[in-house]
Every structure is written in C-alpha cells, then in structure tokens.
Amino acid sequence: MTAPFHVMTKPAGAACNLACEYCYYLEKSLLYPETGVPRMSDATLDRYVRDYIESQNSREVQFAWQGGEPTMLGLGFFEKVVALQEKYCGQKTVSNALQTNGTFLNEDWASFLKEHSFLVGISIDGPEEIHDHYRVDRGGRPTFAKVMRGWETLHSAGVDVNTLTVVNRLNSQHPEKVYDFLKSIGSTFLQFIPIVEREPDDRVDDSLDLAGPPDAGDPGARIPVTPWSVRPRDFGRFLNKIFDRWIRQDVGTIFVQHFDGALAKWTGTQGGICVFAEECGRAMALEHNGDLYSCDHYVYPSYRLGNIREKGFAEMADSPEQVAFGRAKRTELSQACKKCAFRFACNGDCPKHRFVPTGKDQPGISYLCPGLKSFFSHIDAPMREMAKLWRSGQPPARIMENYRN
C-alpha cells in the first residue's frame, strides 16, 4: 500500500503577472518554451483530479494549487476543479489550498473560495516599503496596494486565509516590524520561508540562471548566493526576535509554522515542516503538462519522475528513484549534523541548502546552519516548558504567564 504523499500543483506553470526579484520559479518557464500562458488542459486536469483522488489511501484528499500565479487561469478553471472533485471523490472528503500573490482577487473570487472552503495563502513580505522592495510587477511597479486589496477582500468575506512571507536579505533585518504588521492586518497563521539561491557555476545548464541543488557527495561546488538571499545568522535572529514577541503574548492565538513545528519536535509528535523531517520525498510537484517532479525545489530534468498521462501517481511516488531521493536526506547526513544536539529538530535542513563543505569526503551542511542552531538553542528552554505543559494536559499557552515579565 502506498504511503501518504502530497502534490503541489502548478496549473499555470511558472507564469506570473509579477516579477519578484527573488523568485526561483520564474525561470522554470525555460523548461517549457511555449507561447502565451501555460495552462493545464482540460484532459490533463481531469486525469489529475481522478487519479490523485484514487491514489490516496486516506479518507481526506488535499489538493494544493500554486505557481507561478494560479489565479491567472481565471475563476472558470477552478470551477472546473471543484466540479471534477465532486465527480470523482466518492466517499472521500476533498479540500483545497491555494497560494496566490492576491493581485487578481475580487468579490467573485472571494465568494467562490468561501463557498468551497478553500484555504488561501497570500504572499506578503511585510509593510509597504519592505514588501515592494522585491515584489514588483512586470513593469517594475510596486504591488503592495493590490495585494492588500486582495487580502482585505478575502478577509471581509470570511475566507480562511493566512500569510506566507519570504524571508530575504531586506526584511530579515526588521523582524519585529514584519511580525507586528502581519498581526495588524489580522493574519493569525504565519509562514516564514527563507530564500536561499546560489549563483550558477560552469556545471549548471546554461538555460537556467540559478544553480541547481548540490550534487550528493559534492557539496560546495560554488557557495556564493544571490544578493537577495537571507544571511544565515540574520535568519536565526529574525526567528528569535519574533519568537520573543510570540512567547510573551501570542501563544495559542497566533500560529507560526516554525514554532508549531518545533513544538511537535520537542513533544515527539508527528507534524512540523518538511525541511526538518528525517526523510523527504513524499511532497512532489506537478507541472501544467502533467510532468511530476521529486520536489517543488527540484524541478530540473534529472528529477522528473514521469508524466501522469503515462504513469500512475503511486508508481512514481514509490519508484526507486523517488525512494532513494527521500532517503538520501537521512543517509547523506554530515558528521557535524549527526553529532548536533538539535539533529532531532533539524535533521540537516532541506537538502537543497546543503552546499557548505565540512571536510573531505563529507556531505555538506546547510547554508542556514548557523541561524538554525541559534534559533533552536534560543527556543530550547521554553519549548521544554511547553512540552511539559502539554504532557500534563495543560495548554502550552500557559507559558506566557512565566515570560511576560
């Protein structure tokens, strides 16, 4: 029986109305040199919805739609999505998550998303002057006002909405300002995703501008990162400063993905973030034409598992190539990581980030390691306290009584 797996679907491929300077996915359009906006065909969509539902062993099937910018396909595309889900769901329950830049959202979108219980993530990097530094449209114009209109439209309609913030070179310098802003607009579920992209070197396919993931056993081929990539210690400081705000006043009311995931690690329960799992490989990415890749960050020809028109999801998810891909996260762990006190929480971070060499014949460690060590060390004592409260049947939020002073 196939173990549970998840697919991040990109029905418009890398197409986007924005041109965020740090976006790692825009260049994937070079893998599919088509004219106009890439669009998942009706036949591919039908095949995807039917086969994905059938391949899941659980009673609840979760669809995730991302890009590029998926709302470029229009509301009609997602009306087809829910119609097909209703056609093929049988006795299973289907849910949808949509990640968007928010600029196309209006009252019609809000009504649809509310009616069909979509969980919507809005990408926003902080207050206006911070957000607009990197997140601009194709003409180089700021996008904050349009994003906020989309956010407010969904929020007013009662849509289940959260925020995704890319932690970059700029906003990592202003953690409290970013956190306070996200709270001020009413976000109660916060994701912070560090942007780390390497400059290319001679070994990289000339068609792509960013370096691919490091080769196993050959990390650190070239370490320089892009000017917008977050610095390791800045990322740790960013999380630490926000944690200090959260632990005093927001436990139980504001949910930060990194903090919730950490608490799961300290309590020894299931949950957390994929980058901190011991193994990976069960979260794949589907392009608009039906090509399935090992991971959203590994959309490169060598990590293409096949196409859903030719192979089943279970066959590709359980293929020797994908199984080896997932296990490599654990088996190709450096000695430095194996000896680290926080291995249980970090597990060496995402393999994509493991390009810092540690010694001859040793796998690389994560570029973010100094920041992650700082973060896990900083939260260790309060996490132990919250885990103790949880085990005794008390709400972890009681920890705020000890930290407010």
PDB file of all heavy atoms in Angstrom, residues 10-38:
ATOM      1  N   LYS A  10       0.958  23.022 -10.176  1.00  0.00           N
ATOM      2  CA  LYS A  10       1.234  24.314 -10.811  1.00  0.00           C
ATOM      3  C   LYS A  10       0.485  24.370 -12.142  1.00  0.00           C
ATOM      4  O   LYS A  10       1.080  24.162 -13.216  1.00  0.00           O
ATOM      5  CB  LYS A  10       2.738  24.491 -10.995  1.00  0.00           C
ATOM      6  CG  LYS A  10       3.468  24.504  -9.639  1.00  0.00           C
ATOM      7  CD  LYS A  10       4.957  24.561  -9.797  1.00  0.00           C
ATOM      8  CE  LYS A  10       5.642  24.580  -8.438  1.00  0.00           C
ATOM      9  NZ  LYS A  10       5.453  25.826  -7.695  1.00  0.00           N
ATOM     10  N   PRO A  11      -0.815  24.656 -12.109  1.00  0.00           N
ATOM     11  CA  PRO A  11      -1.632  24.559 -13.317  1.00  0.00           C
ATOM     12  C   PRO A  11      -1.295  25.604 -14.380  1.00  0.00           C
ATOM     13  O   PRO A  11      -1.636  25.432 -15.548  1.00  0.00           O
ATOM     14  CB  PRO A  11      -3.056  24.755 -12.793  1.00  0.00           C
ATOM     15  CG  PRO A  11      -2.890  25.571 -11.551  1.00  0.00           C
ATOM     16  CD  PRO A  11      -1.610  25.087 -10.943  1.00  0.00           C
ATOM     17  N   ALA A  12      -0.628  26.690 -13.981  1.00  0.00           N
ATOM     18  CA  ALA A  12      -0.174  27.695 -14.942  1.00  0.00           C
ATOM     19  C   ALA A  12       1.340  27.675 -15.072  1.00  0.00           C
ATOM     20  O   ALA A  12       1.949  28.626 -15.585  1.00  0.00           O
ATOM     21  CB  ALA A  12      -0.638  29.085 -14.527  1.00  0.00           C
ATOM     22  N   GLY A  13       1.964  26.604 -14.600  1.00  0.00           N
ATOM     23  CA  GLY A  13       3.410  26.506 -14.660  1.00  0.00           C
ATOM     24  C   GLY A  13       4.080  27.652 -13.927  1.00  0.00           C
ATOM     25  O   GLY A  13       3.670  28.037 -12.828  1.00  0.00           O
ATOM     26  N   ALA A  14       5.092  28.236 -14.550  1.00  0.00           N
ATOM     27  CA  ALA A  14       5.842  29.333 -13.939  1.00  0.00           C
ATOM     28  C   ALA A  14       5.278  30.705 -14.314  1.00  0.00           C
ATOM     29  O   ALA A  14       5.840  31.728 -13.919  1.00  0.00           O
ATOM     30  CB  ALA A  14       7.305  29.253 -14.356  1.00  0.00           C
ATOM     31  N   ALA A  15       4.182  30.734 -15.058  1.00  0.00           N
ATOM     32  CA  ALA A  15       3.621  32.011 -15.499  1.00  0.00           C
ATOM     33  C   ALA A  15       3.156  32.835 -14.300  1.00  0.00           C
ATOM     34  O   ALA A  15       2.534  32.313 -13.375  1.00  0.00           O
ATOM     35  CB  ALA A  15       2.447  31.773 -16.444  1.00  0.00           C
ATOM     36  N   CYS A  16       3.465  34.119 -14.330  1.00  0.00           N
ATOM     37  CA  CYS A  16       3.084  35.006 -13.229  1.00  0.00           C
ATOM     38  C   CYS A  16       2.992  36.436 -13.752  1.00  0.00           C
ATOM     39  O   CYS A  16       3.744  36.834 -14.646  1.00  0.00           O
ATOM     40  CB  CYS A  16       4.098  34.929 -12.088  1.00  0.00           C
ATOM     41  SG  CYS A  16       3.596  35.822 -10.593  1.00  0.00           S
ATOM     42  N   ASN A  17       2.071  37.201 -13.196  1.00  0.00           N
ATOM     43  CA  ASN A  17       1.935  38.608 -13.566  1.00  0.00           C
ATOM     44  C   ASN A  17       2.935  39.486 -12.822  1.00  0.00           C
ATOM     45  O   ASN A  17       3.080  40.671 -13.144  1.00  0.00           O
ATOM     46  CB  ASN A  17       0.515  39.104 -13.288  1.00  0.00           C
ATOM     47  CG  ASN A  17       0.135  38.995 -11.817  1.00  0.00           C
ATOM     48  OD1 ASN A  17       0.342  37.953 -11.199  1.00  0.00           O
ATOM     49  ND2 ASN A  17      -0.437  40.043 -11.258  1.00  0.00           N
ATOM     50  N   LEU A  18       3.626  38.914 -11.830  1.00  0.00           N
ATOM     51  CA  LEU A  18       4.648  39.659 -11.105  1.00  0.00           C
ATOM     52  C   LEU A  18       6.039  39.222 -11.568  1.00  0.00           C
ATOM     53  O   LEU A  18       6.195  38.208 -12.260  1.00  0.00           O
ATOM     54  CB  LEU A  18       4.515  39.447  -9.602  1.00  0.00           C
ATOM     55  CG  LEU A  18       3.175  39.797  -8.954  1.00  0.00           C
ATOM     56  CD1 LEU A  18       3.296  39.770  -7.438  1.00  0.00           C
ATOM     57  CD2 LEU A  18       2.649  41.135  -9.432  1.00  0.00           C
ATOM     58  N   ALA A  19       7.025  39.995 -11.163  1.00  0.00           N
ATOM     59  CA  ALA A  19       8.419  39.667 -11.483  1.00  0.00           C
ATOM     60  C   ALA A  19       9.253  39.880 -10.231  1.00  0.00           C
ATOM     61  O   ALA A  19      10.192  40.682 -10.218  1.00  0.00           O
ATOM     62  CB  ALA A  19       8.928  40.524 -12.633  1.00  0.00           C
ATOM     63  N   CYS A  20       8.900  39.168  -9.165  1.00  0.00           N
ATOM     64  CA  CYS A  20       9.618  39.302  -7.903  1.00  0.00           C
ATOM     65  C   CYS A  20      11.089  38.959  -8.135  1.00  0.00           C
ATOM     66  O   CYS A  20      11.414  37.914  -8.712  1.00  0.00           O
ATOM     67  CB  CYS A  20       9.028  38.375  -6.847  1.00  0.00           C
ATOM     68  SG  CYS A  20       7.261  38.658  -6.548  1.00  0.00           S
ATOM     69  N   GLU A  21      11.942  39.816  -7.663  1.00  0.00           N
ATOM     70  CA  GLU A  21      13.363  39.668  -7.968  1.00  0.00           C
ATOM     71  C   GLU A  21      13.929  38.347  -7.465  1.00  0.00           C
ATOM     72  O   GLU A  21      14.811  37.762  -8.086  1.00  0.00           O
ATOM     73  CB  GLU A  21      14.149  40.840  -7.363  1.00  0.00           C
ATOM     74  CG  GLU A  21      15.607  40.857  -7.765  1.00  0.00           C
ATOM     75  CD  GLU A  21      16.329  42.106  -7.298  1.00  0.00           C
ATOM     76  OE1 GLU A  21      15.669  43.018  -6.780  1.00  0.00           O
ATOM     77  OE2 GLU A  21      17.569  42.172  -7.452  1.00  0.00           O
ATOM     78  N   TYR A  22      13.414  37.856  -6.353  1.00  0.00           N
ATOM     79  CA  TYR A  22      13.986  36.653  -5.756  1.00  0.00           C
ATOM     80  C   TYR A  22      13.311  35.353  -6.204  1.00  0.00           C
ATOM     81  O   TYR A  22      13.669  34.272  -5.738  1.00  0.00           O
ATOM     82  CB  TYR A  22      13.949  36.739  -4.228  1.00  0.00           C
ATOM     83  CG  TYR A  22      12.574  36.957  -3.628  1.00  0.00           C
ATOM     84  CD1 TYR A  22      11.532  36.060  -3.825  1.00  0.00           C
ATOM     85  CD2 TYR A  22      12.332  38.066  -2.825  1.00  0.00           C
ATOM     86  CE1 TYR A  22      10.292  36.254  -3.249  1.00  0.00           C
ATOM     87  CE2 TYR A  22      11.093  38.275  -2.242  1.00  0.00           C
ATOM     88  CZ  TYR A  22      10.079  37.359  -2.454  1.00  0.00           C
ATOM     89  OH  TYR A  22       8.846  37.560  -1.883  1.00  0.00           O
ATOM     90  N   CYS A  23      12.318  35.421  -7.072  1.00  0.00           N
ATOM     91  CA  CYS A  23      11.538  34.225  -7.405  1.00  0.00           C
ATOM     92  C   CYS A  23      12.406  33.168  -8.084  1.00  0.00           C
ATOM     93  O   CYS A  23      13.024  33.423  -9.129  1.00  0.00           O
ATOM     94  CB  CYS A  23      10.355  34.580  -8.301  1.00  0.00           C
ATOM     95  SG  CYS A  23       9.318  33.142  -8.685  1.00  0.00           S
ATOM     96  N   TYR A  24      12.431  31.980  -7.520  1.00  0.00           N
ATOM     97  CA  TYR A  24      13.231  30.888  -8.077  1.00  0.00           C
ATOM     98  C   TYR A  24      12.472  30.132  -9.158  1.00  0.00           C
ATOM     99  O   TYR A  24      13.054  29.335  -9.905  1.00  0.00           O
ATOM    100  CB  TYR A  24      13.652  29.900  -6.978  1.00  0.00           C
ATOM    101  CG  TYR A  24      12.511  29.088  -6.414  1.00  0.00           C
ATOM    102  CD1 TYR A  24      12.186  27.837  -6.938  1.00  0.00           C
ATOM    103  CD2 TYR A  24      11.732  29.574  -5.367  1.00  0.00           C
ATOM    104  CE1 TYR A  24      11.128  27.095  -6.437  1.00  0.00           C
ATOM    105  CE2 TYR A  24      10.682  28.842  -4.853  1.00  0.00           C
ATOM    106  CZ  TYR A  24      10.381  27.605  -5.392  1.00  0.00           C
ATOM    107  OH  TYR A  24       9.331  26.883  -4.887  1.00  0.00           O
ATOM    108  N   TYR A  25      11.153  30.351  -9.257  1.00  0.00           N
ATOM    109  CA  TYR A  25      10.370  29.513 -10.171  1.00  0.00           C
ATOM    110  C   TYR A  25      10.138  30.146 -11.532  1.00  0.00           C
ATOM    111  O   TYR A  25       9.827  29.456 -12.495  1.00  0.00           O
ATOM    112  CB  TYR A  25       9.031  29.126  -9.542  1.00  0.00           C
ATOM    113  CG  TYR A  25       8.555  27.784 -10.040  1.00  0.00           C
ATOM    114  CD1 TYR A  25       9.057  26.608  -9.502  1.00  0.00           C
ATOM    115  CD2 TYR A  25       7.658  27.684 -11.097  1.00  0.00           C
ATOM    116  CE1 TYR A  25       8.675  25.372  -9.991  1.00  0.00           C
ATOM    117  CE2 TYR A  25       7.267  26.458 -11.599  1.00  0.00           C
ATOM    118  CZ  TYR A  25       7.774  25.298 -11.039  1.00  0.00           C
ATOM    119  OH  TYR A  25       7.412  24.067 -11.538  1.00  0.00           O
ATOM    120  N   LEU A  26      10.289  31.453 -11.663  1.00  0.00           N
ATOM    121  CA  LEU A  26      10.034  32.098 -12.943  1.00  0.00           C
ATOM    122  C   LEU A  26      10.859  31.493 -14.072  1.00  0.00           C
ATOM    123  O   LEU A  26      10.380  31.331 -15.195  1.00  0.00           O
ATOM    124  CB  LEU A  26      10.315  33.603 -12.847  1.00  0.00           C
ATOM    125  CG  LEU A  26       9.287  34.461 -12.103  1.00  0.00           C
ATOM    126  CD1 LEU A  26       9.761  35.902 -12.036  1.00  0.00           C
ATOM    127  CD2 LEU A  26       7.916  34.379 -12.775  1.00  0.00           C
ATOM    128  N   GLU A  27      12.106  31.130 -13.751  1.00  0.00           N
ATOM    129  CA  GLU A  27      12.974  30.615 -14.803  1.00  0.00           C
ATOM    130  C   GLU A  27      12.569  29.221 -15.281  1.00  0.00           C
ATOM    131  O   GLU A  27      13.044  28.768 -16.324  1.00  0.00           O
ATOM    132  CB  GLU A  27      14.419  30.588 -14.331  1.00  0.00           C
ATOM    133  CG  GLU A  27      14.727  29.552 -13.269  1.00  0.00           C
ATOM    134  CD  GLU A  27      16.223  29.424 -12.997  1.00  0.00           C
ATOM    135  OE1 GLU A  27      16.966  30.311 -13.427  1.00  0.00           O
ATOM    136  OE2 GLU A  27      16.630  28.424 -12.376  1.00  0.00           O
ATOM    137  N   LYS A  28      11.681  28.548 -14.572  1.00  0.00           N
ATOM    138  CA  LYS A  28      11.261  27.213 -14.995  1.00  0.00           C
ATOM    139  C   LYS A  28      10.476  27.259 -16.295  1.00  0.00           C
ATOM    140  O   LYS A  28      10.282  26.219 -16.949  1.00  0.00           O
ATOM    141  CB  LYS A  28      10.417  26.547 -13.906  1.00  0.00           C
ATOM    142  CG  LYS A  28      11.111  26.427 -12.559  1.00  0.00           C
ATOM    143  CD  LYS A  28      12.422  25.678 -12.635  1.00  0.00           C
ATOM    144  CE  LYS A  28      13.076  25.601 -11.257  1.00  0.00           C
ATOM    145  NZ  LYS A  28      14.392  24.950 -11.295  1.00  0.00           N
ATOM    146  N   SER A  29      10.027  28.465 -16.689  1.00  0.00           N
ATOM    147  CA  SER A  29       9.350  28.588 -17.981  1.00  0.00           C
ATOM    148  C   SER A  29      10.277  28.179 -19.120  1.00  0.00           C
ATOM    149  O   SER A  29       9.815  27.772 -20.195  1.00  0.00           O
ATOM    150  CB  SER A  29       8.853  30.028 -18.177  1.00  0.00           C
ATOM    151  OG  SER A  29       9.944  30.932 -18.187  1.00  0.00           O
ATOM    152  N   LEU A  30      11.595  28.271 -18.894  1.00  0.00           N
ATOM    153  CA  LEU A  30      12.561  27.874 -19.911  1.00  0.00           C
ATOM    154  C   LEU A  30      12.523  26.377 -20.189  1.00  0.00           C
ATOM    155  O   LEU A  30      12.967  25.917 -21.243  1.00  0.00           O
ATOM    156  CB  LEU A  30      13.971  28.294 -19.487  1.00  0.00           C
ATOM    157  CG  LEU A  30      14.189  29.802 -19.315  1.00  0.00           C
ATOM    158  CD1 LEU A  30      15.568  30.080 -18.727  1.00  0.00           C
ATOM    159  CD2 LEU A  30      14.020  30.524 -20.647  1.00  0.00           C
ATOM    160  N   LEU A  31      11.997  25.604 -19.226  1.00  0.00           N
ATOM    161  CA  LEU A  31      11.866  24.163 -19.427  1.00  0.00           C
ATOM    162  C   LEU A  31      10.686  23.838 -20.326  1.00  0.00           C
ATOM    163  O   LEU A  31      10.582  22.729 -20.856  1.00  0.00           O
ATOM    164  CB  LEU A  31      11.705  23.450 -18.084  1.00  0.00           C
ATOM    165  CG  LEU A  31      12.850  23.619 -17.076  1.00  0.00           C
ATOM    166  CD1 LEU A  31      12.490  22.942 -15.757  1.00  0.00           C
ATOM    167  CD2 LEU A  31      14.141  23.050 -17.636  1.00  0.00           C
ATOM    168  N   TYR A  32       9.774  24.798 -20.465  1.00  0.00           N
ATOM    169  CA  TYR A  32       8.572  24.612 -21.271  1.00  0.00           C
ATOM    170  C   TYR A  32       8.401  25.823 -22.193  1.00  0.00           C
ATOM    171  O   TYR A  32       7.572  26.702 -21.942  1.00  0.00           O
ATOM    172  CB  TYR A  32       7.350  24.432 -20.375  1.00  0.00           C
ATOM    173  CG  TYR A  32       7.463  23.243 -19.469  1.00  0.00           C
ATOM    174  CD1 TYR A  32       7.923  23.380 -18.155  1.00  0.00           C
ATOM    175  CD2 TYR A  32       7.142  21.961 -19.919  1.00  0.00           C
ATOM    176  CE1 TYR A  32       8.041  22.277 -17.321  1.00  0.00           C
ATOM    177  CE2 TYR A  32       7.266  20.855 -19.095  1.00  0.00           C
ATOM    178  CZ  TYR A  32       7.717  21.028 -17.799  1.00  0.00           C
ATOM    179  OH  TYR A  32       7.835  19.921 -16.981  1.00  0.00           O
ATOM    180  N   PRO A  33       9.194  25.914 -23.236  1.00  0.00           N
ATOM    181  CA  PRO A  33       9.181  27.095 -24.115  1.00  0.00           C
ATOM    182  C   PRO A  33       7.923  27.156 -24.980  1.00  0.00           C
ATOM    183  O   PRO A  33       7.956  26.873 -26.174  1.00  0.00           O
ATOM    184  CB  PRO A  33      10.444  26.914 -24.951  1.00  0.00           C
ATOM    185  CG  PRO A  33      10.643  25.436 -25.003  1.00  0.00           C
ATOM    186  CD  PRO A  33      10.175  24.911 -23.682  1.00  0.00           C
ATOM    187  N   GLU A  34       6.802  27.527 -24.368  1.00  0.00           N
ATOM    188  CA  GLU A  34       5.540  27.631 -25.077  1.00  0.00           C
ATOM    189  C   GLU A  34       5.186  29.104 -25.247  1.00  0.00           C
ATOM    190  O   GLU A  34       5.714  29.971 -24.559  1.00  0.00           O
ATOM    191  CB  GLU A  34       4.434  26.926 -24.293  1.00  0.00           C
ATOM    192  CG  GLU A  34       4.752  25.473 -24.008  1.00  0.00           C
ATOM    193  CD  GLU A  34       3.830  24.871 -22.967  1.00  0.00           C
ATOM    194  OE1 GLU A  34       2.961  25.608 -22.463  1.00  0.00           O
ATOM    195  OE2 GLU A  34       3.985  23.682 -22.665  1.00  0.00           O
ATOM    196  N   THR A  35       4.284  29.390 -26.130  1.00  0.00           N
ATOM    197  CA  THR A  35       3.815  30.761 -26.297  1.00  0.00           C
ATOM    198  C   THR A  35       2.615  30.999 -25.404  1.00  0.00           C
ATOM    199  O   THR A  35       1.802  30.107 -25.164  1.00  0.00           O
ATOM    200  CB  THR A  35       3.415  31.009 -27.763  1.00  0.00           C
ATOM    201  OG1 THR A  35       2.401  30.079 -28.151  1.00  0.00           O
ATOM    202  CG2 THR A  35       4.625  30.870 -28.673  1.00  0.00           C
ATOM    203  N   GLY A  36       2.498  32.220 -24.917  1.00  0.00           N
ATOM    204  CA  GLY A  36       1.376  32.543 -24.061  1.00  0.00           C
ATOM    205  C   GLY A  36       1.525  31.965 -22.673  1.00  0.00           C
ATOM    206  O   GLY A  36       2.593  31.509 -22.259  1.00  0.00           O
ATOM    207  N   VAL A  37       0.427  31.957 -21.940  1.00  0.00           N
ATOM    208  CA  VAL A  37       0.415  31.463 -20.567  1.00  0.00           C
ATOM    209  C   VAL A  37       0.269  29.946 -20.565  1.00  0.00           C
ATOM    210  O   VAL A  37      -0.693  29.415 -21.144  1.00  0.00           O
ATOM    211  CB  VAL A  37      -0.741  32.105 -19.772  1.00  0.00           C
ATOM    212  CG1 VAL A  37      -0.809  31.522 -18.363  1.00  0.00           C
ATOM    213  CG2 VAL A  37      -0.581  33.613 -19.718  1.00  0.00           C
ATOM    214  N   PRO A  38       1.193  29.210 -19.968  1.00  0.00           N
ATOM    215  CA  PRO A  38       0.997  27.763 -19.849  1.00  0.00           C
ATOM    216  C   PRO A  38      -0.315  27.485 -19.114  1.00  0.00           C
ATOM    217  O   PRO A  38      -0.671  28.190 -18.167  1.00  0.00           O
ATOM    218  CB  PRO A  38       2.203  27.313 -19.019  1.00  0.00           C
ATOM    219  CG  PRO A  38       3.201  28.400 -19.168  1.00  0.00           C
ATOM    220  CD  PRO A  38       2.418  29.667 -19.316  1.00  0.00           C
TER     221      PRO A  38
END
